[in-house]
Amino acid sequence: MKQFLTQDALKSYLQNKGGSIGFVPTMGALHEGHLALIKAAKAQCEQVVCSIFVNPTQFNDPSDFEKYPKTLANDIKLLTETGCDIVYTPEVDDLYPSGMKNLPHYPLGRLEELLEGAHRPGHFQGVCVVVDKLLQAVQPSHLYMGQKDFQQIAIIRKMLEITKSNVNLIECPTVRESSGLAMSSRNSRLSAEQKTQALAIFQGFNSPSAAAFESALVANGFETVDYVACCDPITLENKPWDERPCQILVAAFIGGVRLIDNQFMP
Ligand code: AMP
């Protein structure tokens, strides 16, 4: 696997390679959820590029940014074992050479007012800024993203429309621990007990009401529930709890760690 630290070096290497490029943007601390995206890209594309970059502009909470787990040496080992061809690991200056002010603004509309958008001001603008920059650097034919971040996929689809990109966005299913807990880099900040308590998210999708789901989270040690919502899977607008089909989406804090998850209810 080749590693590049600058987009210039990455671009000139990729220029001499023909064929399809599958791209997997990540923030590192890689787990099986990320590796499933790499494997999906490998099955469809001639070159697989992964980026590892903890993007400061998408963090609305400075302590979440500071505490974000970093395991670069192990990430590189996992990517190599999984058959990733190229990893791009930039420093902030390489992606933000003119600083982090006066960045583009994407007219995302309603989608960024709902759910994560309401609780994490500016988050999705930061996600769009970095993914747009990464797409310009990598110029992939295919972009792989996980349904674990369900709203993020809808946002990126909208951003691709706004920028008139013709990259193929490929959605990959959420990878879970055998217990049902959705894999997440932030899980490494949980104790064994908190991981067991966090199963209340997976177990809650079949709750009889949003209120019952929230109570179960609180009873299992979650200190704050940002939202438990039953939504239209396309627009993400709220729906009555028992309407089907729907997407149930959850965000809640346990041990100071913010977890999100979602499930399609056919
Ligand atoms: P992150 O490093 O958290 O920014 O995630 C990078 C990509 O991996 C995003 O497209 C995520 O949706 C995806 N991802 C993270 N966790 C999982 C998971 N458990 N299952 C599937 N995809 C995931």
Side-chain angles (χ1 to χ4, degrees):
M1 183 174 68
K2 291 223 170 273
Q3 182 180 5
F4 294 98
L5 280 81
T6 67
Q7 41 178 327
D8 286 348
L10 173 69
K11 276 183 200 158
S12 54
Y13 178 79
L14 286 172
Q15 256 164 21
N16 305 319
K17 295 254 166 202
S20 53
I21 299 178
F23 177 45
V24 181
T26 80
M27 299 203 297
L30 301 183
H31 50 66
E32 285 298 330
H34 298 113
L35 299 181
L37 304 184
I38 302 287
K39 287 174 197 164
K42 229 181 131 50
Q44 280 182 311
C45 301
E46 282 150 86
Q47 294 285 321
V48 178
V49 181
C50 176
S51 62
I52 299 180
F53 179 63
V54 185
N55 173 39
T57 65
Q58 75 186 69
F59 282 83
N60 53 310
D61 173 357
S63 117
D64 186 29
F65 177 62
E66 276 150 33
K67 291 185 182 158
Y68 202 84
K70 290 177 191 70
T71 59
L72 186 60
N74 191 53
D75 292 350
I76 287 176
K77 179 171 167 277
L78 292 174
L79 289 174
T80 306
E81 286 167 4
T82 312
C84 181
D85 300 292
I86 297 163
V87 65
Y88 170 46
T89 55
E91 297 290 336
V92 172
D93 287 353
D94 193 54
L95 281 171
Y96 295 98
S98 321
M100 286 180 273
K101 298 213 169 84
N102 303 317
L103 296 170
H105 183 271
Y106 300 82
L108 301 168
R110 264 302 272 167
L111 268 184
E112 76 168 327
E113 291 169 13
L114 304 164
L115 306 165
E116 290 296 281
H119 289 273
R120 303 186 66 188
H123 167 66
F124 285 131
Q125 288 296 328
V127 169
C128 286
V129 166
V130 79
V131 173
D132 199 4
K133 282 174 183 284
L134 290 167
L135 289 175
Q136 284 167 37
V138 179
Q139 307 264 323
S141 51
H142 297 70
L143 169 65
Y144 294 83
M145 304 197 94
Q147 288 175 334
K148 157 83 175 15
D149 298 274
F150 192 80
Q151 190 175 7
Q152 174 170 272
I153 290 188
I155 291 278
I156 294 299
R157 192 180 296 113
K158 175 90 184 175
M159 187 273 275
L160 297 176
E161 228 176 84
I162 294 168
T163 59
K164 302 191 169 60
S165 163
N166 52 18
V167 70
N168 291 299
L169 176 59
I170 313 288
E171 293 182 33
C172 299
T174 302
V175 177
R176 299 179 180 281
E177 309 272 1
S178 54
S179 64
L181 180 66
M183 290 197 186
S184 164
S185 304
R186 290 183 179 87
N187 290 353
S188 66
R189 293 179 49 204
L190 301 176
S191 68
E193 190 196 358
Q194 287 164 337
K195 276 194 182 175
T196 307
Q197 291 175 308
L199 283 177
I201 295 187
F202 183 63
Q203 289 158 355
F205 289 122
N206 288 308
S207 298
S209 66
F213 195 157
E214 283 190 33
S215 308
L217 291 173
V218 172
N220 281 283
F222 281 83
E223 55 274 358
T224 310
V225 179
D226 272 356
Y227 58 81
V228 166
C230 175
C231 299
D232 179 283
I234 307 289
T235 63
L236 296 183
E237 297 288 353
N238 236 299
K239 282 190 166 203
W241 184 258
D242 40 15
E243 214 174 288
R244 298 288 180 270
C246 74
Q247 198 80 27
I248 293 183
L249 299 104
V250 186
F253 286 85
I254 185 162
V257 180
R258 190 171 183 279
L259 300 182
I260 61 169
D261 199 352
N262 68 88
Q263 177 127 309
F264 180 67
M265 309 296 278

